[in-house]
Each structure stands twice: as structure tokens, then as C-alpha cells.
Amino acid sequence: MNNSIKHMACALTAALCGAVPSHAQYYELASQLPSLISPALSGSMRYKGYADAGFTGGFTDNKANFMSFSTSQGFQYSDWFFMGAGIGVDVTFRNNDLRTDIPEERRNYHTTSTGVMMPVFTDFRFILGGPQAAANFFIDLKIGATFLLGNNYMEFSNGYLTNNANFYLKPSLGVRIPVNSKNPRQEINLGLTYQLITSNNNLTWYGGNTLTLNSIGATVGFEW
């Protein structure tokens, strides 16, 4: 029990620190993955896992669409609260026109309109409704860092998304639907989600270095 409390305190501290983007905090968050996953591999009865897939469409000036796949592994600390750590893959598609008034010498030719990003995060999930309900609701919050993989950049109307660490925030709201009467731990999750990616390690046309991507969409998941 004491070890579980220590794991929970460490991950919560890392998540709160992640609200202020910095390299040290991102890597500190990623370092919590082994301590949260190892008890699951040992067969803890409180272990719980999630797998999610979804699509979000970009809005505001810099638009990108995301096809997302992720998994979270952790502990169900009570009937209403789960906390764990996760990793994912986001296939990213640029979804806006590029600027035409940028001089050729300022353009970067190692750019792409499609990329792959890897989010690493702490996952908090709150269950709304009793454990015996036929269906109940959930609030999910993923917070951490995401990285553009490879050597290429992604160009947007206001600048470039680089392969440095980016702050990652993904809250979701949805419904849980039981699928196996013999195993109440197995449920389908349907939700609406918002995704924020931002960092001061990118490149913009205006002399700054903060580039932000906002998107909204839907997710479907399975829990066990």
C-alpha cells in the first residue's frame, strides 16, 4: 500500500510540473513510466489498462489533424479514480495553406506536410456514477510531452513545428459502456476530446518561437 501511494505522489508531482513547459520536466515525467508499469507486470489486482484511438481536427491559425493511438497502464485507486502512465502515436496532417510572402532564403526545405508524433503522458481518469450502473460517464486528462519524430520539420502558416519537446494536454469527456457481463472490468469508452500542443522551442515567422496547435474530435477506447 505504501509503495502505491509513493507511485501516485511521484506521478502527480510530475504532472503538475508539466504544466510549465521545460525539457527537464518532460524527461522527469517520462522517467515515471517504469515505476508505474512495473507493479502491473507483477500481477497487482488493482492494475488497469486502456487502449484508445481517435481523430481530432485542427482549428485556429496553425491547423493540423491527428489520427491518434495510445495506451495507458496504471492503477484503479478507487471506484472513481484511475491514475497511470501512457505512450502513443499520432499521425499528423497539416491542414492549412502556407504563407506565400516568406522569402525563399527563410524557408526550410526539410519540411513535410505529414508527420508522426509520440506523446508520453500521465493519465488521470475520473468515473462519474456508481460501479453497478449500466453505463456511466468519465473525465480523462492526459498531460505530458510529445515529440515530432525524424529529422524533418512541419511548416504551418505561422512557422515550423520542430522535433523538440512540446507540451501535450488532452482532456476528454465521455461514456463507458459494459461489453462483458462476466467481466465488469471490460468496457467500451466513447468520448469527445480536445488536444493542445504548444512549445517555445519551435520557429515562427515573427521572431518568436512559440507555436500552438489546437484540435478537437472524438475517441473510442477499450478498458480492461
Side-chain angles (χ1 to χ4, degrees):
M1 180 66 179
N2 290 335
N3 288 336
S4 296
I5 294 174
K6 290 179 181 178
H7 295 322
M8 180 177 180
C10 289
L12 181 58
T13 300
L16 292 174
C17 290
V20 180
S22 75
H23 288 293
Q25 290 156 359
Y26 292 141
Y27 291 111
E28 181 182 353
L29 175 63
S31 71
Q32 301 303 318
L33 281 169
S35 64
L36 285 168
I37 294 176
S38 59
L41 299 178
S42 68
S44 170
M45 295 301 292
R46 301 296 290 177
Y47 161 75
K48 193 169 184 64
Y50 292 87
D52 296 291
F55 179 86
T56 58
F59 62 96
T60 67
D61 291 339
N62 300 302
K63 298 178 183 178
N65 297 339
F66 297 87
M67 186 178 296
S68 303
F69 306 90
S70 68
T71 182
S72 301
Q73 313 293 319
F75 294 94
Q76 191 75 39
Y77 286 93
S78 68
D79 290 338
W80 59 271
F81 179 64
F82 162 87
M83 186 180 72
I87 192 169
V89 174
D90 289 353
V91 182
T92 310
F93 308 92
R94 185 179 63 214
N95 187 30
N96 65 317
D97 296 329
L98 302 181
R99 292 174 63 101
T100 59
D101 59 340
I102 302 301
E104 289 294 321
E105 61 271 16
R106 292 188 58 192
R107 290 194 174 276
N108 189 316
Y109 292 98
H110 296 284
T111 62
T112 178
S113 60
T114 303
V116 177
M117 303 192 74
M118 183 182 70
V120 180
F121 52 84
T122 299
D123 193 357
F124 304 93
R125 189 171 295 236
F126 305 88
I127 308 302
L128 310 178
Q132 304 302 320
N136 45 34
F137 296 93
F138 70 88
I139 298 173
D140 184 53
L141 177 63
K142 296 179 174 68
I143 181 170
T146 186
F147 306 83
L148 180 65
L149 303 181
N151 296 323
N152 289 331
Y153 300 154
M154 290 192 71
E155 183 180 353
F156 292 91
S157 61
N158 288 346
Y160 294 112
L161 177 69
T162 72
N163 52 15
N164 290 313
N166 298 276
F167 177 66
Y168 174 86
L169 177 69
K170 191 171 185 178
S172 302
L173 172 65
V175 62
R176 305 165 68 233
I177 304 172
V179 294
N180 186 345
S181 59
K182 296 182 180 180
N183 188 346
R185 293 168 57 89
Q186 297 180 359
E187 303 203 32
I188 295 291
N189 294 177
L190 303 175
L192 299 176
T193 189
Y194 163 75
Q195 181 170 288
L196 169 69
I197 295 174
T198 187
S199 176
N200 60 2
N201 294 314
N202 295 301
L203 307 173
T204 68
W205 304 127
Y206 306 109
N209 53 7
T210 299
L211 188 141
T212 299
L213 301 176
N214 296 276
S215 59
I216 191 169
T219 63
V220 58
F222 179 72
E223 62 177 88
W224 62 93

